[in-house]
Amino acid sequence: MTMNPEKTLLIKNAMCLVTMDDQRREIPGGGLFVQGNRIAQVGPTTELPATADEIIDATGHVVMPGMINTHHHMYQSLTRCVPSVQDCELFDWLKGLYPIWAGLTPKMIRVSTQTAMAELILSGCTTSSDHLYIYPNGCRLEDSIEAAEAIGMRFHACRGSMSVGESKGGLPPDRVVEDEKAILADSQRLIERWHDANDGAMLRIALAPCSPFSVSQDLMRESAAMAHSFGVGLHTHLAETQGDVAYSREKFGRTPAQYAEELGWIGRGTWHAHCVCLDDHGIGLFARTHTGVAHCPSSNMRLGSGIAPIKKMRAAGVPVGLGVDGSASNDAGHLLAEARQAMLLARVSGDPGGLTARQSLEIATRGGAEALGRSDIGQLAPGKCADIAAFDTRGIDHAGGLHDPVAALTFCAPVKAAFSIINGRVIVKNGRITTVDLPVLLEHHNRLAAELVHG
């Protein structure tokens, strides 16, 4: 493994260094030493080099792996809190928003991607997937890819698609669906142009037909064959609501999990969003095949979809990651807040140990890496990518909670990251993002959001 010797970074004196390594070590007074874009050493500060090109004194901070967001629709940050769909279930929510999203433009995709990514990075998230499945008015996946490159986020760009409109029994209006041959041709073009299969990749492509109620079986099957041929990921929505399950049974005569298996949508590097209604057979299937799940608790609560059986999935061995989901069904993109929500939601049914604080952080880090089919991120260990988040616990949010500062990250009110480091590069420093002019970005974003929703 080649290290870049040109730039070194030392993080020292952490209140606690949470490694999420195979031993799940937590090191009081710990730190780490980075060479180039890789972690070279992890341990007590006294055992690390004393000097580096850049030094961060993490006194009073909990330092942990950068978190991984496994499901998002970043363009939806333009349509948060739209009044007409604030109290809808999934299908009515979608029907209310599709006509608005039909007005998306390339510049809207770019600004919303950067806004969503800035929000994530400021919450300690260093890797994100994004599921872009609507391409009106000349929009392309490049609009989000280039926005990610500019802000510096590690990115899994999912080439989403919808091909079955209302006239063919699907949910979306016909004017926002695409021809399936064109979808597959663009999918292959994107893989060949952008996908990086190397360890430590900053950009990967996944194929992501939107859902069983917006694409054909042929597109699902052919997308899976293409993904397997090129060695890229597969992503879709599955078993999100009881209505979703009923649709699958009525249209296909299968449960969602049976449908996924039949079409080749299982295996390492394939991950499904939500799975609120995944049955025992589906859980066993996903565990045996290392098929991942993106758990999106806030969105599931917001839309009244239900509670995903995360404890049962994890016990069976299903790779479970965390997702903020689209900004119009969560209305927030704070991944540490999502970890807290996951912890609390797992307890609502009467199990106060349904998900512990450390398990919620594990889902947000190692779990996300596993769901995406990666072993180079999600933990602080020698040779791993230098993706790191640090949270200052000396503020009022954590006052009185430092008996266990690691658990305080999710039990107490979620705070923004003091530092977010991606691929060895300090993107957030002392709570400020360094790669975009945030006030200018937000003014642009809000102007375009008003244009999209109100005309």
Side-chain angles (χ1 to χ4, degrees), residues 243-263:
D244 199 346
V245 176
Y247 183 95
S248 183
R249 286 187 176 278
E250 178 185 344
K251 292 288 184 179
F252 313 123
R254 304 281 189 278
T255 67
Q258 289 169 334
Y259 184 70
E261 182 178 24
E262 184 176 294
L263 299 179

Side-chain angles (χ1 to χ4, degrees), residues 128-158:
S128 185
S129 67
D130 183 46
H131 189 184
L132 180 59
Y133 56 80
I134 187 166
Y135 295 89
N137 308 312
C139 293
R140 303 180 306 154
L141 193 62
E142 274 87 351
D143 298 318
S144 56
I145 290 171
E146 290 166 4
E149 284 184 329
I151 203 169
M153 189 165 217
R154 198 179 299 279
F155 191 33
H156 282 235
C158 300

Side-chain angles (χ1 to χ4, degrees), residues 208-346:
C210 184
S211 62
F213 49 81
S214 61
V215 300
S216 72
Q217 295 184 60
D218 284 344
L219 184 61
M220 291 286 284
R221 189 177 288 109
E222 290 183 42
S223 295
M226 181 182 292
H228 296 150
S229 173
F230 283 96
V232 303
L234 280 171
H235 184 51
T236 193
H237 300 87
L238 197 76
E240 184 171 354
T241 67
Q242 289 296 342
D244 199 346
V245 176
Y247 183 95
S248 183
R249 286 187 176 278
E250 178 185 344
K251 292 288 184 179
F252 313 123
R254 304 281 189 278
T255 67
Q258 289 169 334
Y259 184 70
E261 182 178 24
E262 184 176 294
L263 299 179
W265 276 74
I266 55 173
R268 198 180 304 276
T270 297
W271 78 106
H272 298 275
H274 303 297
C275 295
V276 170
C277 304
L278 195 66
D279 58 14
D280 287 347
H281 164 266
I283 291 172
L285 171 69
F286 281 24
R288 290 193 304 275
T289 57
H290 303 286
T291 303
V293 168
H295 178 40
C296 305
S298 293
S299 174
N300 297 155
M301 296 167 74
R302 188 335 187 146
L303 296 173
S305 301
I307 304 173
I310 296 305
K311 184 175 182 178
K312 184 181 288 187
M313 291 181 192
R314 282 171 49 84
V318 176
V320 177
L322 197 62
V324 298
D325 198 11
S327 298
S329 67
N330 180 331
D331 307 281
H334 193 305
L335 200 58
L336 185 61
E338 203 66 30
R340 183 176 195 264
Q341 199 78 287
M343 180 187 74
L344 297 178
L345 184 60

Side-chain angles (χ1 to χ4, degrees), residues 20 64-72 120 123-129 153-156 271 293-295 320-324 335-336 338-339 360-379 385 387-389:
M20 288 293 171
M64 61 178 283
M67 290 181 284
I68 298 163
N69 179 39
T70 59
H71 186 60
H72 209 327
L120 286 167
S123 76
C125 175
T126 53
T127 297
S128 185
S129 67
M153 189 165 217
R154 198 179 299 279
F155 191 33
H156 282 235
W271 78 106
V293 168
H295 178 40
V320 177
L322 197 62
V324 298
L335 200 58
L336 185 61
E338 203 66 30
S360 71
L361 294 175
E362 183 174 309
I363 288 174
T365 53
R366 282 188 70 116
E370 190 177 3
L372 295 179
R374 297 190 71 147
S375 59
D376 54 349
I377 56 175
Q379 57 181 294
C385 296
D387 291 3
I388 305 152

